[in-house]
Amino acid sequence: MKDQKQFSSYDLVANTWDEMYKNSTEIRTHYDIINTYLKSVSKEKLDKKEELSKQLFMSQGVTFTVYSDNEGIEKIFPFDIVPRVILASEWDKIDKGIKQRLKALNLFIKDIYHDQFIIKDGIIPAKLIFDCPNYLREMMGVNVPHDIYVHIAGVDLIRNNDGEFYVLEDNLRTPSGVSYMLENREISKRIFPGILPKNNVRSVANYPDLLYKKLKELSDQNDPNIVLLTPGIYNSAYYEHTTLARLMGIELVEGRDLLVKDHHVYMKTTNGLKRVDVIYRRVDDEFLDPLEFNASSTLGVAGIMAVYRKGNVAIVNAPGTGVADDKAIYVYVPAMIKYYLNEEPLLKNIETYQLANPEEYKYVKDNIKTMVIKKTDGSGGYGMLMGHEADDEEIKDYLNTVDKNPAGFIAQPILRLSTAPCSIDGQLTPRCVDLRPFALNGVDGVDITPGGLTRVALKKGSLVVNSSQGGGSKDTWVIE
């Protein structure tokens, strides 16, 4: 094997779990395939592979949108060529934990929109639910197909310095990122030819087929008309919308392409109107129906909620699911698992402080330099305060905002996210990572794609992995 100077020094981060290295000299056995390969290629060849990956992403149009970036709207999604490797034994625990969690969350959503037993039994405060901006009174008493509210979920996990995976948050509204998972694997096949099948890396390629199957099961029609409803080209995940529609062989539509007539939803075509049976919507609840939510919305379809309540169209995910992924509700998910399933949680939550509680708020303020504060309905890494990075003035301004509505914020201790090796400027160097596995819920239960999306904080020392905040991604290999 060639001596590679670019990989001669790998500086482990103190008190942090590294995915590849046990210590400064010992590599974890499941990373042997990566280590062997990296040592066998020259720096020039590796640079060419990195350049190839960039060209492939560019030619495929793998982009995302940064709304706050003055330089432009669309950006190529940053990709690190060194894959993350997870043992099948570890993955099986993740798989079981997410299935358990989604089962409880689905029962919770059904409960709060019907009998509300969990409120009556004093497990979750009624005020917390009814004050949640994602709780939809319009969904009270609505029966959904097969009692499935969450059909598609992306559950964010982090590995702490104890080596255990913890749930960071549940994404149950319109979870995104699965197209990057699929594209990352296709790129890996090109730049590491032969390595994946030789090492029995579990496949992610059947996700679109499995998603189509789950959507089709929601209709009682033999050949249902399924569409993907997108907000349009300016949405940050538009590339994903086009990719999934293409891979499933379904129509990609905008709100203006649909209309309601005689208590059904129809799609406008060159041959006239065609009835729609299932809508995989990537439009938020607020913009889904201007007659019931945001009256100024042009992204949704007027009257679609009335059709939905009659059972004449299936909407995926069900409206109102956002109440279960609110960060204030997150605190109670372990209690939901015990309440609905009579089981102990297989995946732990991160310790979370509710700032509406004066004692907890005081504790957070006293320890602000070790805390991250988030909006309960926030996403994408926006609107957070990272206590260890903020100066006194920034902290003061942020807490003034919190004081106006403490119930709209939660705090968590700043954790030591695990690191994984990344190829940065010709050097193998550790960067913080998280993991978003994608789960599909259907008539025959929950299926979780083995691998998911590993997001990377490409900036040295950063804990923020969101693409909108300078993060990237890498392929995730689950191996025996």
Side-chain angles (χ1 to χ4, degrees):
M1 294 182 183
K2 300 176 182 178
D3 177 28
Q4 297 305 314
K5 291 183 180 178
Q6 73 268 31
F7 299 136
S8 59
S9 175
Y10 185 81
D11 298 321
L12 292 170
V13 180
N15 300 317
T16 300
W17 180 281
D18 190 80
E19 299 289 333
M20 182 170 176
Y21 280 87
K22 283 185 180 180
N23 50 54
S24 57
T25 58
E26 191 177 0
I27 289 175
R28 302 184 194 279
T29 9
H30 55 285
Y31 262 91
D32 282 346
I33 53 173
I34 301 301
N35 186 49
T36 301
Y37 181 83
L38 292 176
K39 284 184 175 180
S40 69
V41 296
S42 65
K43 182 182 186 302
E44 291 70 27
K45 189 173 182 181
L46 203 66
D47 288 344
K48 285 181 180 178
K49 288 183 180 293
E50 286 196 48
E51 187 57 36
L52 173 63
S53 72
K54 290 176 184 176
Q55 290 172 3
L56 290 170
F57 270 77
M58 181 74 76
S59 63
Q60 294 294 324
V62 185
T63 61
F64 68 99
T65 303
V66 180
Y67 294 111
S68 60
D69 195 328
N70 294 323
E71 295 178 4
I73 293 176
E74 284 194 301
K75 287 198 168 190
I76 299 299
F77 196 69
F79 173 72
D80 179 70
I81 65 170
V82 184
R84 178 189 194 166
V85 184
I86 298 175
L87 279 171
S89 55
E90 285 188 308
W91 180 258
D92 289 344
K93 183 178 178 181
I94 292 171
D95 183 275
K96 290 174 184 174
I98 292 176
K99 286 177 179 176
Q100 179 196 58
R101 197 171 178 95
L102 286 186
K103 188 176 180 182
L105 285 165
N106 200 76
L107 288 169
F108 165 71
I109 300 169
K110 180 187 177 184
D111 187 18
I112 61 164
Y113 287 126
H114 287 83
D115 299 308
Q116 301 183 341
F117 290 127
I118 200 166
I119 298 174
K120 295 170 184 174
D121 288 337
I123 307 298
I124 298 181
K127 180 175 172 55
L128 193 66
I129 292 172
F130 299 143
D131 285 353
C132 175
N134 297 309
Y135 173 77
L136 295 185
R137 287 168 176 78
E138 293 83 356
M139 283 296 292
M140 275 300 299
V142 177
N143 295 317
V144 304
H146 306 288
D147 287 335
I148 301 172
Y149 288 81
V150 181
H151 310 82
I152 304 162
V155 179
D156 290 346
L157 306 175
I158 62 103
R159 196 201 292 265
N160 199 6
N161 56 1
D162 59 3
E164 291 293 318
F165 282 99
Y166 290 78
V167 178
L168 182 62
E169 61 183 46
D170 305 287
N171 297 285
L172 309 179
R173 283 169 273 179
T174 54
S176 63
V178 74
S179 62
Y180 304 128
M181 173 193 77
L182 297 170
E183 194 61 37
N184 287 354
R185 179 56 54 86
E186 291 305 308
I187 301 294
S188 288
K189 289 177 183 177
R190 296 282 296 274
I191 60 179
F192 299 116
I195 291 183
L196 282 91
K198 182 180 177 182
N199 290 279
N200 297 318
V201 178
R202 293 187 184 178
S203 174
V204 300
N206 70 333
Y207 179 91
D209 293 337
L210 192 56
L211 174 56
Y212 181 80
K213 177 178 175 286
K214 302 278 188 186
L215 296 175
K216 189 176 180 181
E217 289 171 349
L218 296 173
S219 174
D220 54 9
Q221 301 292 315
N222 290 329
D223 186 21
N225 183 23
I226 305 170
V227 300
L228 193 156
L229 176 61
T230 176
I233 61 172
Y234 296 108
N235 184 265
S236 60
Y238 185 70
Y239 162 77
E240 177 158 300
H241 305 166
T242 60
T243 299
L244 289 176
R246 174 176 55 82
L247 292 174
M248 287 191 288
I250 65 175
E251 292 290 339
L252 181 70
V253 299
E254 296 182 28
R256 60 190 175 185
D257 300 318
L258 304 177
L259 59 83
V260 169
K261 180 182 178 183
D262 299 330
H263 307 296
H264 288 90
V265 177
Y266 290 89
M267 175 176 66
K268 302 170 189 175
T269 76
T270 52
N271 295 320
L273 298 179
K274 183 179 181 181
R275 180 176 159 179
V276 173
D277 303 296
V278 181
I279 299 175
Y280 173 23
R281 54 90 177 219
R282 297 297 293 261
V283 173
D284 291 340
D285 289 347
E286 181 185 358
F287 304 103
L288 194 55
D289 187 340
L291 296 184
E292 302 206 19
F293 305 123
N294 187 332
S296 63
S297 172
T298 59
L299 302 178
V301 185
I304 194 173
M305 283 298 293
V307 178
Y308 182 64
R309 279 193 287 264
K310 281 184 172 291
N312 291 339
V313 71
I315 299 177
V316 175
N317 283 342
T321 56
V323 66
D325 72 6
D326 187 274
K327 291 178 178 64
I329 301 294
Y330 160 90
V331 180
Y332 293 91
V333 177
M336 291 178 202
I337 293 171
K338 294 174 185 176
Y339 180 75
Y340 293 115
L341 307 180
N342 195 27
E343 296 172 358
E344 290 297 319
L346 297 175
L347 291 172
K348 298 176 184 176
N349 268 21
I350 297 167
E351 187 175 11
T352 302
Y353 301 93
Q354 295 178 297
L355 303 194
N357 181 316
E359 290 182 6
E360 293 187 17
Y361 190 13
K362 181 180 184 305
Y363 178 83
V364 169
K365 286 193 284 189
D366 290 345
N367 297 274
I368 193 69
K369 287 294 184 180
T370 64
M371 295 286 175
V372 54
I373 303 181
K374 307 175 184 178
K375 295 179 179 179
T376 57
D377 61 345
S379 63
Y382 293 105
M384 296 193 309
L385 176 77
M386 302 292 287
H388 68 301
E389 295 178 350
D391 59 34
D392 291 344
E393 192 62 31
E394 288 171 328
I395 290 171
K396 182 182 176 183
D397 289 345
Y398 196 93
L399 292 180
N400 285 338
T401 303
V402 175
D403 288 338
K404 296 172 185 175
N405 179 29
F409 297 84
I410 57 97
Q412 294 171 330
I414 296 170
L415 299 180
R416 294 277 187 180
L417 272 67
S418 66
T419 55
C422 297
S423 178
I424 309 286
D425 298 326
Q427 289 286 336
L428 199 65
T429 182
R431 290 290 187 268
C432 291
V433 293
D434 78 351
L435 176 64
R436 177 176 290 182
F438 293 96
L440 296 174
N441 191 7
V443 177
D444 54 354
V446 178
D447 292 283
I448 301 172
T449 305
L453 180 70
T454 289
R455 300 185 299 175
V456 188
L458 292 173
K459 295 176 183 176
K460 187 176 181 179
S462 174
L463 299 174
V464 183
V465 298
N466 307 80
S467 57
S468 55
Q469 308 295 312
S473 74
K474 55 169 69 217
D475 196 9
T476 310
W477 295 4
V478 175
I479 64 169
E480 297 302 328

